[in-house]
Amino acid sequence: MSNVLLIEDDAAIRTSLTRGLRDRGHAVSSASAALDGLRLAVEERPDLIVLDLGLPDMDGLDLLRMLRAVSRIPVIVATARDGEAEMVTLLDAGADDYIVKPFSSTQLDARIRAVLRRAGESRADSSVTVGGLRVDPRTREATLDGVPLDLSPKEFDLLHYLAARPGEVITKRELLTHVWQIPYGGADKTVDVHLSWLRRKLGETSSDPRYLQTVRGVGIRLAAPA
């Protein structure tokens, strides 16, 4: 199951697509305006965003650029504009795919699965380097300044998830969902304990962080030391 955020101002289309995607196993949240969609994208951190261009408070292309400034969540643009120049502009602005209206929820579901499959393959296969930290998911090895880190399987999964999103603030709920496969519930202590263990192996503490920076009341961010 994937978590999809649908940003669409037409209530009938929004209702139809929400029903169709839920019938196909997706969890769907929605917004009818750009700024509400941006807020939900930051708060909920969905697996994928379906973005309509014709929004009442902002052009969807401007919202796409704003999303790309703060997140790498895959975005499928839904548009009635089918000119080649328009499509090039959307892809250059950071869209992962586009779908031209009118379309069915079946077509959209196929696009969603394809985009998420590509995103998953890209993240799963690529090693990540942040400062002196290197994480390789293929060999499940992590090094800090060239020195191997002795990590448990879950510590490695946690480090890789954070390192693959450098500079992004990740909520504990997102970590529970994607690292522990717990979609709901309040097992925040599990995340806190593993972060504490991970900090120790990275040679830092919560009061003197280097890579793992707590954003109070929001979540955790992995970034190269200043």
Side-chain angles (χ1 to χ4, degrees):
M1 181 183 74
S2 60
N3 297 307
V4 177
L5 171 59
L6 176 61
I7 306 176
E8 165 65 63
D9 71 320
D10 187 301
I13 294 175
R14 193 168 62 249
T15 299
S16 174
L17 290 178
T18 296
R19 184 184 301 116
L21 292 177
R22 285 176 177 167
D23 287 346
R24 288 163 178 78
H26 302 284
V28 183
S29 57
S30 64
S32 60
L35 294 181
D36 285 341
L38 181 62
R39 176 182 57 80
L40 288 176
V42 172
E43 291 179 357
E44 297 187 357
R45 302 196 60 83
D47 298 311
L48 182 139
I49 297 170
V50 179
L51 172 62
D52 175 43
L53 290 186
L55 299 171
D57 56 340
M58 181 187 300
D59 186 82
L61 180 58
D62 292 330
L63 177 56
L64 174 61
R65 292 179 174 129
M66 292 174 68
L67 287 167
R68 277 294 163 261
V70 298
S71 173
R72 294 192 294 173
I73 297 171
V75 176
I76 297 176
V77 171
T79 177
R81 315 168 194 173
D82 58 358
E84 181 178 351
E86 179 77 21
M87 300 310 163
V88 170
T89 298
L90 291 170
L91 295 172
D92 285 344
D96 294 271
D97 199 358
Y98 60 86
I99 187 167
V100 178
K101 294 180 177 181
F103 56 85
S104 67
S105 56
T106 301
Q107 291 173 302
L108 181 57
D109 174 55
R111 295 294 185 100
I112 289 171
R113 288 186 284 106
V115 168
L116 289 177
R117 185 166 57 248
R118 292 197 301 268
E121 289 169 352
S122 175
R123 281 180 170 166
D125 292 342
S126 301
S127 62
V128 181
T129 300
V130 183
L133 179 67
R134 186 174 185 276
V135 183
D136 190 337
R138 292 165 296 188
T139 60
R140 293 188 65 82
E141 295 177 344
T143 60
L144 179 61
D145 298 326
V147 179
L149 295 172
D150 183 17
L151 303 177
S152 70
K154 194 58 68 177
E155 288 169 351
F156 180 89
D157 292 341
L158 175 59
L159 180 62
H160 179 239
Y161 191 85
L162 292 168
R165 297 154 181 82
E168 295 184 25
V169 181
I170 310 297
T171 65
K172 291 178 183 178
R173 171 187 258 186
E174 180 177 353
L175 292 174
L176 285 169
T177 299
H178 293 280
V179 178
W180 276 268
Q181 306 299 313
I182 303 173
Y184 306 106
D188 287 4
K189 192 65 176 176
T190 297
V191 179
D192 291 337
V193 169
H194 280 79
L195 285 171
S196 177
W197 292 340
L198 197 52
R199 279 194 172 102
R200 189 178 308 131
K201 293 181 179 182
L202 292 173
E204 60 183 72
T205 65
S206 58
S207 59
D208 186 21
R210 294 184 65 233
Y211 285 90
L212 296 174
Q213 304 163 4
T214 298
V215 180
R216 191 172 301 277
V218 183
I220 192 80
R221 171 175 56 213
L222 188 147

